[in-house]
Amino acid sequence: MHSLPLFLDPSSVRCVVVGGGEVATRKLRTLLDAGVNCRVVARVLHHELAQLVEEHSLDCERRPFRADDLEHVNLVIAATDDKEANLEIHRLAIEAGVWINAVDDLDHSSAIFPSIINRDPVTVAISTAGHSPTLARRLRARVETILSSGLGRLALYMGERRSGVGKALSDPRSRRDFWDSVLDGPIPDLVEAGRIREADEVLEDSMRGIRGSSRRGLVSLVGAGPGDPDLLTLKALECLQRADVVYYDNLISDQVLDRIRRDAKRVYVGKRRGVEGTIQQVINEMLVHDALAGLRVVRLKGGDPLIFGRGGEELEALKSADIEFEVVPGITAASGSAAIAGVPLTHRDVAHSVRFITAQVSAMSSDIDWEALVGERQTLVVYMGLSELAVVTQKLFEHGMDELTPVAVVSRASYHDQKVVTGTLSNIVGRVESNDVSGPATIIVGRVVALSRSPSKDS
Ligand SMILES: C[S@@+](CC[C@H](N)C(=O)[O-])C[C@H]1O[C@@H](n2cnc3c(N)ncnc32)[C@H](O)[C@@H]1O
């Protein structure tokens, strides 16, 4: 991390602002608005700064900076228009262990001012560690739009009722669930509208409801999409933020794992090359066990949980143990890969249907109806097919597919090193070999591939 965000109690900050110009005025105003104790040392005062000094009855000395100005302060703002003087303040501040913000000089600042969104007592601070104030400003504008103006009032309301709820609900998980349900219900709107008595009535009712019921676990079977966290659904994100425990496997990217609530337990249950994974039966039992213990369990699966993900077996186990569950769909690899390659999976002229198949060894047995797969005007999407590419293309050819049928292999769709290799049924194996393609990869077969939007990316 380039910066450590740390929220300080303003009454414990004692600051001296050195300089009397416009920039010093801006910084002083920010500090005073937050309730920081400030003094000013400046040879000349900008009229607005003089006004602030008067309004807040600040101690202000009209003279150059002296080393003893750093006594009894823990923050100094070096805002003179003399670079040498600012450097000297920096040297002395570091020596004295005082935080310094040197205006427009990152290299000589041990503390910088973030971009702030103020919904007191809620404060959102954004920093790019000084790399791009413009980016920070843009982010701030974006976040502003999603935070209601009554957020501060809601935070105060919840804060004031926290100890009462704490006494009534001693179990921390029940408490967390309770506050989550408060935020999902009518209370935020009532509080923001100033209808506090009604909000309190709803709060009391909900508390009675929770006390009267034992906590029931819930298993959410969540699709994580192909890898890019921006392709998670809002509902998936919400599940990750509320989970007590998350079971995941190796199709889940680190960036998606980063979206899990910090103190949720994470359990890896996948298979890695050469390493035996947790067997399905054991996973089913773990899900049931945690749900019976009243936990919010997330079973996180790559793509969509019900497409070649063994989600069906987990659902059966949950049903037979009478566990409450929900399924949160995700963007499956076929859609993710088609989007990356710019291939429409259906097209009114060339493909009226699309089939998803898996090329796992067990699926290569004779009960695959290859003839049905080579039909005209359809798109075939093959999952888990990279290592079986030669067999799949050979079988399709033997069952009558034209050797010139276009084929795309999309590897690591939505990752930064995603790759699209295109060719035909007869030459795709060679092209994939010479392009050093790694998994996971999805194969798309059919005339739609010729409509791919980015031939320049292909080989
Ligand atoms: C066990 S299946 C899981 C499929 C998943 N449930 C879905 O809906 O996408 C794994 C296969 O999904 C495909 N796959 C998963 N993530 C992918 C990605 N980012 N790019 C391309 N293919 C991917 C590959 O064919 C891989 O072998």
Side-chain angles (χ1 to χ4, degrees):
M1 251 202 279
H2 283 78
S3 319
L4 169 71
L6 192 68
F7 287 89
L8 302 175
D9 171 0
S11 68
S12 69
V13 181
R14 293 177 309 280
C15 177
V16 56
V17 176
V18 187
E22 275 181 54
V23 186
T25 309
R26 256 196 339 262
K27 299 280 182 192
L28 181 63
R29 199 186 297 282
T30 306
L31 291 160
L32 291 173
D33 282 351
V36 169
N37 302 303
C38 294
R39 284 173 44 219
V40 177
V41 174
R43 263 194 266 245
V44 185
L45 294 192
H46 184 273
H47 66 276
E48 275 185 48
L49 196 139
Q51 216 174 318
L52 281 178
V53 165
E54 201 183 308
E55 271 170 26
H56 292 265
S57 312
L58 301 182
D59 177 5
C60 172
E61 296 187 45
R62 297 187 187 216
R63 58 164 173 77
F65 169 80
R66 288 193 317 243
D68 63 1
D69 286 327
L70 295 179
E71 283 171 14
H72 312 299
V73 300
N74 44 27
L75 174 68
V76 56
I77 309 298
T80 76
D81 50 11
D82 177 347
K83 205 165 174 26
E84 289 304 313
N86 286 349
L87 285 180
E88 180 61 3
I89 297 171
H90 170 259
R91 191 183 66 75
L92 291 168
I94 296 298
E95 221 173 79
V98 170
W99 297 109
I100 172 158
N101 175 262
V103 168
D104 286 337
D105 187 356
L106 257 187
D107 293 341
H108 296 98
S109 296
S110 56
I112 57 174
F113 285 79
S115 215
I116 291 173
I117 299 163
N118 185 8
R119 300 280 194 280
D120 198 33
V122 178
T123 312
V124 181
I126 297 172
S127 162
T128 59
H131 288 284
S132 172
T134 311
L135 179 61
R137 212 173 48 241
R138 287 287 186 97
L139 289 173
R140 176 176 176 272
R142 257 164 77 178
V143 178
E144 279 276 10
T145 60
I146 55 169
L147 300 184
S148 74
S149 56
L151 192 64
R153 211 174 312 150
L154 179 62
L156 286 173
Y157 175 88
M158 292 171 76
E160 283 158 8
R161 280 140 190 89
R162 216 173 138 198
S163 78
V165 171
K167 280 183 201 135
L169 304 171
S170 54
D171 170 38
R173 270 191 281 122
S174 307
R175 259 197 322 266
R176 203 176 59 229
D177 279 0
F178 172 75
W179 284 121
D180 265 331
S181 71
V182 163
L183 289 176
D184 288 338
I187 290 180
D189 287 344
L190 291 171
V191 173
E192 288 191 24
R195 292 157 60 186
I196 303 300
R197 221 179 37 189
E198 286 164 76
D200 278 342
E201 280 165 15
V202 178
L203 193 87
E204 276 302 319
D205 278 355
S206 326
M207 222 143 54
R208 269 195 293 277
I210 288 227
R211 273 200 300 257
S213 69
S214 63
R215 192 178 196 272
R216 292 201 61 199
L218 169 74
V219 177
S220 307
L221 213 57
V222 177
D228 180 350
D230 285 350
L231 295 178
L232 284 167
T233 62
L234 293 176
K235 174 95 182 177
L237 211 51
E238 198 182 301
C239 288
L240 296 183
Q241 284 297 314
R242 288 193 184 181
D244 293 312
V245 53
V246 178
Y247 289 93
Y248 69 98
D249 48 43
N250 38 327
L251 277 178
I252 309 299
S253 68
D254 290 346
Q255 291 87 337
V256 168
L257 291 178
D258 274 350
R259 306 290 165 112
I260 298 173
R261 194 167 65 81
R262 291 283 157 222
D263 47 354
K265 184 171 150 200
R266 301 170 184 203
V267 186
Y268 173 73
V269 289
K271 283 191 219 113
R272 295 221 161 99
R273 202 178 293 239
V275 181
E276 201 43 50
T278 314
I279 54 171
Q280 191 60 51
Q281 177 62 23
V282 176
I283 298 176
N284 297 352
E285 284 166 12
M286 291 195 288
L287 299 179
V288 170
H289 172 271
D290 283 356
L292 287 176
L295 299 182
R296 276 179 184 271
V297 186
V298 166
R299 173 65 173 114
L300 189 60
K301 288 171 170 285
D304 182 276
L306 299 184
I307 296 182
F308 302 133
R310 304 192 70 173
E313 290 160 61
E314 287 164 12
L315 288 189
E316 275 167 38
L318 296 171
K319 272 185 227 162
S320 57
D322 202 19
I323 302 290
E324 199 185 331
F325 65 85
E326 63 178 353
V327 179
V328 180
I331 294 181
T332 188
S335 305
S337 302
I340 300 306
V343 169
L345 290 178
T346 62
H347 189 283
R348 60 187 290 188
D349 299 328
V350 296
H352 296 168
S353 65
V354 53
R355 282 177 181 243
F356 295 171
I357 66 160
T358 163
Q360 262 189 333
V361 179
S362 59
M364 301 304 293
S365 59
S366 53
D367 47 47
I368 290 190
D369 183 0
W370 290 100
E371 249 141 57
L373 299 180
V374 301
E376 273 289 299
R377 290 178 191 268
Q378 71 173 348
T379 304
L380 185 61
V381 180
V382 187
Y383 287 68
M384 293 174 264
L386 188 60
S387 58
E388 304 293 337
L389 184 61
V391 184
V392 171
T393 50
Q394 180 61 28
K395 288 273 186 194
L396 291 172
F397 178 65
E398 280 170 12
H399 287 80
M401 188 176 272
D402 186 337
E403 63 174 354
L404 293 179
T405 305
V407 180
V409 174
V410 184
S411 87
R412 300 180 57 75
S414 86
Y415 284 80
H416 67 95
D417 55 350
Q418 65 190 12
K419 220 178 242 182
V420 182
V421 176
T422 55
T424 61
L425 200 62
S426 60
N427 68 16
I428 190 70
V429 173
R431 287 191 172 200
V432 163
E433 274 167 13
S434 55
N435 272 281
D436 191 22
V437 172
S438 58
T442 294
I443 305 161
I444 307 175
V445 185
R447 285 167 60 199
V448 285
V449 173
L451 305 171
S452 149
R453 105 191 126 190
S454 55
S456 57
K457 269 170 116 188
D458 310 340
S459 38

